[in-house]
Amino acid sequence: MAHLRFLIPALPAGTPDGTLFLTGEHRGWSSDPEGWTFEQNGEGAMLDAEVPAGTLLGVKVRLRRPDGEVLEEGDPWGGRAPAHTLTVLEEGGVFPLDLQGWQAPDDMPARPSRSAPPREEWTLPAPWGEQTVRLWWPSGHDGRELPLLILHDGQNVFDEAPTFSGQSWQAGEAAQALADAGHPCLIAALSVNAERSRRYVPFPIDLNAYDPGADEYLDWIGAELLPALEQSFGRVAPSRRAMAGSSFGGLVTLYAGLRNPGGFGTLGVLSPAVWPDDFAVRRWMEGRAAPLTRVWLDMGDHEAHTVGQAAEMVRLTHDLAEQLRLLVREVHVTIGEGHWHDEAAWAARFPAFLAWWLRGLNGPARLGHDASPVEADPVDLGLRP
């Protein structure tokens, strides 16, 4: 066991009375303070804990008020904040926790945006209600007849204001850099709400109440979204269309590409969550093929609860790549060093995916099957430091 000292240097202004405690993946995000309470000292607080070496911790601070209400740390505007992450070493150590504020769950956070917002937002009718489509195209273009990328989790990919935890993919900046290098594209990002597990998981699991909606979602993309985009921006050949997403968004992207082999020329499968229904997608893939499709497949090397489990996730990613290579035209694998399962990691890998897709439209991709994005020449990819 490693001894850790979690140190809150200063509590946010206006912190109410109550019991401060630590929760996280190692506790199943429990709201029971027992065994994990902080000792308040002056403006800050401290917690000593024993944690197995090799644990990959994602943690947050919560506060239980005297009336039983539980608050979670948030950003300075009352929105959700990303988890603090830590690899537990045998020697342990002090782990500072910088708290910015407390969530105000009943209010929409007035979080400012640092990154480029979409050019337009559409609201289209869908079987599940209104669907927000966030559209971006590069400066100097009108968006017409450009290669098309459909992104899942559209609330997270452009500006920070609507994001889940204040982190975005900075997709507009990445795409503008590629456009400046001669590789423009149109991005249509589809926002999702609390029904994410139903919309993106094609197999029955408890998170979607055993009522998957991925087929309905993908049918809508083909029958409603693509015609609407064609009417406004012109027709794009399937070979010049791509779909991409992360986690469950990566799962539904992989499923979409093999479900409709002629629909998309490129798939961006980032950190795919392929575990639902005992890895059902691996069995479902058997006997299916998309021989003209290119697949970008990636994973971070910190995407699990322990260092050992994370290494197993990397191995499983390579196994998935080998299975895919029998079914599609090309598979590119990237393993993100030091990357966790979060928006920051996907933002870091997204520019290389984008360059690989767009450059591949004009011939073989310069990156090899198993190269890391950092091995590519950034000037050649149209990226800048």
Side-chain angles (χ1 to χ4, degrees):
M1 301 290 281
H3 179 81
L4 295 181
R5 172 164 289 180
F6 296 95
L7 183 64
I8 303 174
L11 293 171
T15 295
D17 292 335
T19 301
L20 287 168
F21 64 98
L22 191 74
T23 191
E25 295 175 357
H26 66 298
R27 302 188 59 212
W29 297 102
S30 171
S31 286
D32 181 0
E34 185 175 357
W36 292 91
T37 58
F38 283 86
E39 177 182 346
Q40 296 192 42
N41 182 11
E43 295 182 350
M46 183 177 66
L47 165 65
D48 288 319
E50 301 293 325
V51 180
T55 301
L56 297 175
L57 281 181
V59 300
K60 289 188 178 183
V61 177
R62 289 180 181 169
L63 183 147
R64 182 184 290 276
R65 303 181 63 165
D67 61 4
E69 180 185 6
V70 175
L71 303 180
E72 182 173 286
E73 64 171 294
D75 64 22
W77 305 277
R80 189 179 181 91
H84 309 275
T85 56
L86 169 68
T87 302
V88 180
L89 305 178
E90 289 186 5
E91 59 267 29
V94 178
F95 186 38
L97 300 172
D98 182 20
L99 272 60
Q100 300 294 313
W102 297 99
Q103 284 189 52
D106 295 332
D107 301 319
M108 286 295 292
R111 181 190 292 136
S113 292
R114 303 182 306 274
S115 304
R119 306 285 186 196
E120 289 183 5
E121 286 196 10
W122 292 354
T123 301
L124 299 180
W128 49 89
E130 294 183 338
Q131 173 64 56
T132 299
V133 183
R134 312 184 80 214
L135 296 160
W136 183 93
W137 56 89
S139 300
H141 295 263
D142 60 7
R144 291 190 58 82
E145 299 181 354
L146 295 178
L148 170 65
L149 171 62
I150 294 178
L151 281 178
H152 308 297
D153 283 305
Q155 73 283 352
N156 289 335
V157 300
F158 294 118
D159 48 327
E160 286 75 18
T163 59
F164 179 66
S165 60
Q167 295 179 322
S168 82
W169 292 26
Q170 301 176 355
E173 286 84 347
Q176 186 64 56
L178 265 296
D180 293 344
H183 303 286
C185 69
L186 170 67
I187 300 176
L190 305 178
S191 296
V192 72
N193 56 18
E195 282 204 331
R196 183 175 186 272
S197 298
R198 180 168 187 272
R199 202 69 54 222
Y200 293 173
V201 180
F203 309 104
I205 59 174
D206 57 348
L207 291 177
N208 58 29
Y210 301 95
D211 183 23
D215 288 300
E216 180 183 57
Y217 174 63
L218 296 175
D219 286 344
W220 176 85
I221 289 174
E224 302 295 337
L225 176 63
L226 289 178
L229 291 170
E230 181 175 333
Q231 183 175 3
S232 293
F233 297 101
R235 184 177 184 277
V236 178
S239 62
R240 290 163 53 83
R241 295 198 300 242
M243 177 180 283
S246 63
S247 192
F248 280 166
L251 171 62
V252 78
T253 296
L254 177 61
Y255 181 79
L258 293 176
R259 174 184 182 266
N260 179 17
F264 296 90
T266 300
L267 306 176
V269 183
L270 284 67
S271 300
V274 297
W275 54 262
D277 193 18
D278 192 24
F279 297 88
V281 70
R282 297 288 300 272
R283 300 188 298 274
W284 175 87
M285 287 167 54
E286 295 175 3
R288 299 179 183 272
L292 301 180
T293 300
R294 305 169 68 226
V295 178
W296 168 285
L297 176 64
D298 71 22
M299 184 65 65
D301 63 0
H302 280 55
E303 298 198 39
H305 298 305
T306 69
V307 171
Q309 291 172 357
E312 177 66 10
M313 287 295 299
V314 170
R315 187 190 67 78
L316 289 172
T317 299
H318 286 295
D319 286 349
L320 177 60
E322 289 306 308
Q323 184 177 2
L324 278 168
R325 287 191 175 103
L326 301 175
L327 308 176
V328 301
R329 168 186 157 195
E330 179 183 357
V331 179
H332 170 89
V333 179
T334 286
I335 303 301
E337 183 177 353
H339 287 197
W340 298 69
H341 193 82
D342 56 22
E343 311 302 330
W346 300 320
R349 299 200 297 267
F350 180 71
F353 157 70
L354 202 64
W356 180 81
W357 165 48
L358 291 170
R359 289 182 56 80
L361 298 178
N362 300 321
R366 187 162 180 256
L367 296 178
H369 282 325
D370 296 289
S372 167
V374 298
E375 295 174 4
D377 179 355
V379 175
D380 190 56
L381 293 175
L383 307 178
R384 297 294 183 267

